[in-house]
Amino acid sequence: MAISRRSFISGSVASAVGMATLGLPKFSFAAGDNPIKVATILDLSGGLDIYGKPMADAINLAASEINASGGLLGRPLQMITYDAQSNMQLYAQYAQQAALKDKVAVVHAGITSASREVIRPVLDRFRTLYFYPAQYEGGVCDRNYFSSGSTPAQTVEKMVPYAMKKWGKKVYILAADYNYGQIISSWVKKYVADNGGETVAVEFFPLDVTDFGAAISKIQTAKPDFIWSALVGGAHLSFYRQWHAAGMTGKIPMTSTSFGSGNEHIILSPEESNGMLICANYMQEINQPTNIDFVKRFKEKYGPNAPYVSDLAMGAYQGFLLWAEGVRKAGDTDRMKVIEALESGLSIDSPSGKATVDAGTHHLTLDVHIAEVKDHQMQILETYAQQPPLDTAMVCDLKKNPRDTKQYQIQL
């Protein structure tokens, strides 16, 4: 039974939980085959749905393709999909339900760091394997947890000196007011200082803020060489629109490692977004055979109006493939056997490039790219191959401390 994109996002809280085996498999499973249950908990509605919907589409594709090729270990995947509706209470509720009621083999879940830190202790407590698909601020050290997105040492460390060389040394930071925005801002300040620059101001904004008039006035007064944006979510799109309406487009340039994760460069007009510099693990425009084939399959599945495949969507996709490869290598869905298989240094050829699990941190060694937004596209300017998660490795060694379950505030 296929799950449509509409079925992911429709309905009330009661009907927001759907369960079906994804795909129309070319391979026919025998009647009575014991399915492998997999849960996803994402924001398919609410203020963060601009991130969650493409992530759900990517996971849907991965699961349907695995089923079409015979499933895992000869068993079909049965997807249990929860819409957290950008609500932390629902994240906690659904994480517990996935572990205790549905008894899933793995949970792929969370977008914001706040949602991750709601989910993670629940799944630790109930010994249910957890994959977090988003780029984030780094520092989580937990053997039950795998991160399939990038961290600041892989992206911010590359973007700051590139932008400073291009534009100058005075930086103004705008960030979402929760742990991701706060910690990523500290990383930006560190790398700005390391490269001889100055952070002239840092401003934080709750996720529901839509009026940026006062901030724009402050930036005009401060006259930085460029702006670093760590804004997040649909409400924060208002900043770019108001910036353009104030006649500031092109006068002070911008850069980010989060812009584009919610397809902001597609939602905004070219006039509002052209010239933004991005650093991320993935852009849809990567000109490599594995990615070209992936994008073709994605569009075939979702049609001519398929969403742009974002960095977050790729994090979800490659995290799902890594988990599946761990199951194959382990020959079992048992949590500890899969963890040990992943810790063997397992790699996949992802559309983003080679993705390899770092056993000490449970993060990935990844390629990252710097790109410029132009007319709803990402024009790739630089590529940095196989960047390790050095920031998290500063505080996390799961080989020595396998019982660690903390997120560390890395001392900068």
Side-chain angles (χ1 to χ4, degrees):
M1 177 178 177
I3 294 183
S4 71
R5 190 162 176 239
R6 179 176 298 174
S7 70
F8 270 120
I9 61 177
S10 63
S12 63
V13 175
S15 64
V17 183
M19 182 171 69
T21 301
L22 291 174
L24 294 171
K26 299 173 186 175
F27 179 92
S28 296
F29 295 103
D33 276 343
N34 182 28
I36 299 172
K37 294 182 179 180
V38 178
T40 64
I41 312 172
L42 295 166
D43 300 306
L44 305 177
S45 59
L48 297 172
D49 64 350
I50 62 171
Y51 306 116
K53 292 175 185 177
M55 295 167 78
D57 287 340
I59 287 177
N60 186 356
L61 175 63
S64 63
E65 290 184 336
I66 289 170
N67 275 344
S69 63
L72 280 179
L73 310 180
R75 297 165 61 189
L77 299 179
Q78 188 175 52
M79 300 301 294
I80 302 173
T81 301
Y82 300 95
D83 176 8
Q85 302 173 53
S86 306
N87 182 313
M88 293 303 113
Q89 184 176 346
L90 288 177
Y91 265 113
Q93 174 185 327
Y94 291 152
Q96 183 165 323
Q97 185 168 335
L100 294 182
K101 179 181 178 182
D102 300 316
K103 300 186 184 303
V104 300
V106 64
V107 175
H108 296 263
I111 299 174
T112 65
S113 294
S115 65
R116 180 196 66 243
E117 291 309 297
V118 168
I119 298 164
R120 191 168 63 85
V122 173
L123 298 181
D124 277 351
R125 186 181 315 126
F126 298 119
R127 299 184 180 181
T128 303
L129 187 60
Y130 177 32
F131 271 73
Y132 177 61
Q135 60 96 1
Y136 84 111
E137 67 277 3
V140 173
C141 190
D142 186 335
R143 200 173 182 209
N144 190 59
Y145 159 95
F146 288 85
S147 172
S148 56
S150 59
T151 61
Q154 296 167 309
T155 55
V156 179
E157 190 270 343
K158 298 295 184 294
M159 190 72 261
V160 167
Y162 189 97
M164 289 176 66
K165 183 177 179 180
K166 182 178 179 67
W167 293 322
K169 295 188 175 183
K170 293 174 63 178
V171 185
Y172 199 112
I173 301 172
L174 305 175
D177 192 13
Y178 69 104
N179 49 353
Y180 168 75
Q182 293 158 3
I183 297 172
I184 211 77
S185 297
S186 296
W187 280 106
V188 175
K189 290 169 65 178
K190 167 191 163 49
Y191 289 126
V192 167
D194 288 352
N195 287 276
E198 175 191 1
T199 299
V200 298
V202 182
E203 284 199 73
F204 296 103
F205 303 90
L207 289 172
D208 59 354
V209 165
T210 58
D211 184 354
F212 291 90
I216 290 171
S217 295
K218 291 177 185 177
I219 296 167
Q220 290 169 324
T221 300
K223 298 180 180 178
D225 293 316
F226 67 96
I227 296 166
W228 184 286
S229 172
L231 299 174
V232 171
H236 287 182
L237 286 171
S238 300
F239 169 75
Y240 306 106
R241 291 173 173 144
Q242 291 165 26
W243 181 257
H244 179 68
M248 293 302 296
T249 303
K251 293 184 178 179
I252 301 176
M254 295 187 211
T255 189
S256 179
T257 55
S258 55
F259 187 94
S261 295
N263 291 344
E264 291 90 342
H265 65 301
I266 304 296
I267 298 168
L268 295 170
S269 70
E271 293 77 16
E272 293 165 334
S273 60
N274 277 357
M276 171 75 82
L277 286 187
I278 309 298
C279 187
N281 167 234
Y282 180 77
M283 292 98 176
Q284 187 174 287
E285 293 81 2
I286 293 172
N287 188 25
Q288 296 293 341
T290 301
N291 184 54
I292 292 169
D293 183 60
F294 164 78
V295 173
K296 178 183 177 183
R297 300 194 319 272
F298 190 89
K299 291 181 181 296
E300 286 174 349
K301 183 171 182 63
Y302 294 110
N305 296 319
Y308 181 95
V309 184
S310 66
D311 181 64
L312 285 178
M314 182 49 57
Y317 183 80
Q318 65 195 12
F320 200 96
L321 295 189
L322 278 163
W323 166 76
E325 191 61 27
V327 170
R328 293 187 189 100
K329 185 175 177 63
D332 203 310
T333 60
D334 175 79
R335 181 180 70 104
M336 285 309 304
K337 290 179 181 179
V338 174
I339 289 172
E340 289 167 359
L342 290 162
E343 288 175 339
S344 68
L346 189 145
S347 294
I348 60 168
D349 183 16
S350 168
S352 73
K354 185 179 179 183
T356 302
V357 176
D358 175 67
T361 65
H362 286 198
H363 289 56
L364 303 184
T365 294
L366 297 164
D367 295 348
V368 298
H369 312 272
I370 290 177
E372 180 178 353
V373 176
K374 185 173 182 181
D375 299 335
H376 298 305
Q377 298 292 313
M378 299 277 196
Q379 295 189 344
I380 296 175
L381 306 175
E382 296 282 349
T383 295
Y384 304 87
Q386 296 301 282
Q387 300 300 302
L390 294 177
D391 39 23
T392 303
M394 293 168 61
V395 294
C396 181
D397 188 343
L398 289 166
K399 293 179 180 178
K400 291 183 179 179
N401 303 299
R403 294 186 179 181
D404 204 346
T405 58
K406 299 177 185 176
Q407 180 178 12
Y408 290 90
Q409 179 85 41
I410 301 170
Q411 297 302 309
L412 303 178

